[in-house]
Amino acid sequence: MDNRLSKRVNEMATSATLAMAAKTRELKEQGIDIIGLSLGEPDFPVPDFIKDAAIQAIQDNYHSYTPVDGYGDLKKAIITKFKRDNHLEYKPSQIVVSSGAKQSLANLTMVLLDDGDEVLLPAPYWVSYADQCKVAGGIPKEIPTSIETDFKVTAEALEAAITPKTKLIIYSSPCNPSGSVYSKKELRKLADVLVKYPDVIVISDEIYEHINFSGGHASMAEFDDMYDRTVVVNGVSKAFSMTGWRIGYIGGPEWIAKACNKMQGQVTSGANCIAQRATITALENPPSKIQFMVDAFKERRKLILNLLSEIEGFKTNQPEGAFYVFPDISYFFGKTLRGKNINTASDFSLYLLEEAKVATVTGEAFGDPNCIRLSYAASETEIKEAMRRIKEALA
């Protein structure tokens, strides 16, 4: 705590994924051979057709401030993408482009929450949801799930969590960190609960939409009785390997989009001009253009699950999307490994970093104290070596 700083930032948690990534870089700079399975970032280069569009934008002298909510032709491309991939109809006034989906989410919590409003977070959930809500004055309220239910919330658990103070529910599908994917039937069951509570807004984080092995993507916004109270968050970071380009966007009710535009106009204004031009090209092309990445992730999922099955104490399910596995490692709690006591998932994650030289992320950061997250957005060689090291460290 630093009394010179605001209570707001003093009480804010550091992003666990970014903290582990920073620690990994620090150790690598010291000459230590660390295999990083902590950061959610594709290891593929940006496809050439997108890079070519960015180069063309530079040559066309794009350099000026951009509209706060995004270029008009980018919003048109987003509208076309929503209709093509999700069967959703939006107007330009319902779209806001931001500097990454993380900013899209932050905008939403800032414009929708007042002090004391409750936000339902089916756990596990992405690390920044809770703190973004707290900064906006909201109160995060976890809804526990388990590996036995593939980390999906049930309609009964959702209804039991709703109170008169509930303002939002935020979830991701495919889910970071679990890789779980909600089917249309499962979402309909949740929607049947939510229709009874018309003041609850849904934020559906669909950033991993195209990294999906389940055979199809479904969105809560597809339901006519939920469309007017659902905000879809998406971007180009994961599917197009454009994490550093920082382009995210929302589609949702016009009154919410206008509020996000107003908020963003006082914080960052419009997103990077070159990245926006490249994103137009990315979204105008069909998802088949990046299918090679999805196919590679599917093969890596099979590899890492097979190798984890050979390590005693790791309880896994089969994730249907994203590029993470989220094993339950509570078997190790209460045990002593190489003289180190393991009582929490954080203890276990730190042990793997120090003894196996493999970076993971504790499940406590995602609202699940029994698990750790491993990213398989790494080469097959790195995955094999990481699993070998882990197995050896736990022998």
Side-chain angles (χ1 to χ4, degrees):
M1 299 287 286
D2 187 333
N3 292 331
R4 296 171 298 177
L5 299 174
S6 68
K7 181 180 178 183
R8 183 185 304 108
V9 76
N10 273 325
E11 293 181 351
M12 184 188 298
T14 300
S15 168
T17 52
L18 297 181
M20 182 58 84
K23 182 66 174 176
T24 301
R25 285 193 297 271
E26 179 186 328
L27 293 173
K28 285 183 176 180
E29 288 169 1
Q30 295 173 14
I32 301 172
D33 179 22
I34 303 292
I35 298 177
L37 301 183
S38 63
L39 199 58
E41 182 170 46
D43 61 320
F44 296 98
V46 176
D48 286 341
F49 72 95
I50 298 173
K51 290 189 285 189
D52 290 342
I55 293 168
Q56 187 61 52
I58 294 171
Q59 294 174 338
D60 290 343
N61 291 318
Y62 278 92
H63 66 280
S64 302
Y65 288 131
T66 60
V68 172
D69 54 350
Y71 283 125
D73 45 356
L74 173 54
K75 294 173 79 169
K76 182 180 178 181
I78 292 169
I79 289 168
T80 300
K81 173 259 175 290
F82 272 130
K83 186 173 183 179
R84 178 193 67 209
D85 300 341
N86 311 108
H87 313 295
L88 296 174
E89 298 274 358
Y90 290 111
K91 300 178 295 184
S93 57
Q94 294 176 275
I95 306 295
V96 178
V97 177
S98 301
S99 298
K102 181 178 279 191
Q103 184 183 20
S104 299
L105 289 160
N107 285 343
L108 289 166
T109 56
M110 291 300 290
V111 305
L112 291 172
L113 295 176
D114 282 318
D115 290 349
D117 286 341
E118 292 181 352
V119 181
L120 302 183
L121 301 178
Y125 48 82
W126 182 54
V127 292
S128 292
Y129 292 163
D131 276 276
Q132 286 185 347
C133 292
K134 290 176 184 177
V135 168
I139 301 172
K141 186 175 180 181
E142 296 178 1
I143 309 177
T145 66
S146 69
I147 197 169
E148 284 76 22
T149 60
D150 285 330
F151 300 108
K152 297 180 188 179
V153 68
T154 64
E156 294 76 17
L158 173 60
E159 185 148 31
I162 295 174
T163 75
K165 293 183 178 180
T166 303
K167 184 66 176 289
L168 299 176
I169 175 172
I170 308 177
Y171 71 94
S172 59
S173 178
C175 176
N176 176 5
S178 68
S180 302
V181 177
Y182 284 93
S183 67
K184 191 168 186 176
K185 182 177 179 181
E186 290 167 333
L187 288 176
R188 183 64 255 177
K189 289 181 179 179
L190 300 181
D192 288 341
V193 172
L194 291 166
V195 293
K196 304 176 192 176
Y197 305 92
D199 294 331
V200 178
I201 303 297
V202 177
I203 298 177
S204 177
D205 182 350
E206 302 179 19
I207 192 70
Y208 291 92
E209 169 193 8
H210 292 305
I211 307 174
N212 187 328
F213 318 122
S214 67
H217 176 77
S219 175
M220 184 75 76
E222 292 179 64
F223 304 127
D224 290 341
D225 53 1
M226 293 302 298
Y227 174 83
D228 287 333
R229 45 193 286 220
T230 300
V231 184
V232 177
V233 178
N234 212 322
V236 293
S237 293
K238 310 302 181 179
F240 297 95
S241 196
M242 296 171 66
T243 51
W245 297 55
R246 309 312 300 135
I247 296 292
Y249 55 86
I250 65 167
E254 187 172 352
W255 63 276
I256 295 178
K258 285 183 176 180
C260 288
N261 187 20
K262 180 180 179 180
M263 174 63 66
Q264 187 165 295
Q266 293 288 13
V267 182
T268 61
S269 295
N272 176 276
C273 60
I274 304 303
Q276 286 199 55
R277 304 313 300 174
T279 299
I280 294 171
T281 296
L283 295 181
E284 285 180 343
N285 278 273
S288 59
K289 292 280 281 189
I290 47 91
Q291 185 62 40
F292 71 95
M293 296 191 214
V294 181
D295 293 341
F297 285 134
K298 189 173 183 179
E299 287 300 310
R300 294 174 188 181
R301 178 189 66 164
K302 179 180 178 181
L303 173 65
I304 197 169
L305 287 174
N306 285 341
L307 293 173
L308 283 173
S309 70
E310 299 173 1
I311 304 176
E312 184 180 11
F314 278 76
K315 184 178 181 181
T316 62
N317 67 326
Q318 179 163 286
E320 292 297 333
F323 37 69
Y324 309 107
V325 287
F326 199 60
D328 183 319
I329 46 81
S330 57
Y331 167 87
F332 296 98
F333 295 171
K335 291 180 168 52
T336 300
L337 303 174
R338 297 185 182 179
K340 297 179 180 179
N341 296 325
I342 307 297
N343 295 311
T344 66
S346 294
D347 291 342
F348 189 75
S349 184
L350 183 60
Y351 176 82
L352 294 183
L353 180 64
E354 293 177 344
E355 299 296 329
K357 302 296 185 286
V358 176
T360 62
V361 185
T362 173
E364 292 169 281
F366 303 100
D368 191 319
N370 293 326
C371 298
I372 61 170
R373 191 191 77 174
L374 298 93
S375 168
Y376 53 86
S379 70
E380 291 192 5
T381 300
E382 288 178 308
I383 292 170
K384 289 176 182 178
E385 175 60 14
M387 295 305 103
R388 185 197 67 77
R389 292 183 187 186
I390 291 174
K391 187 174 184 179
E392 183 179 284
L394 299 175

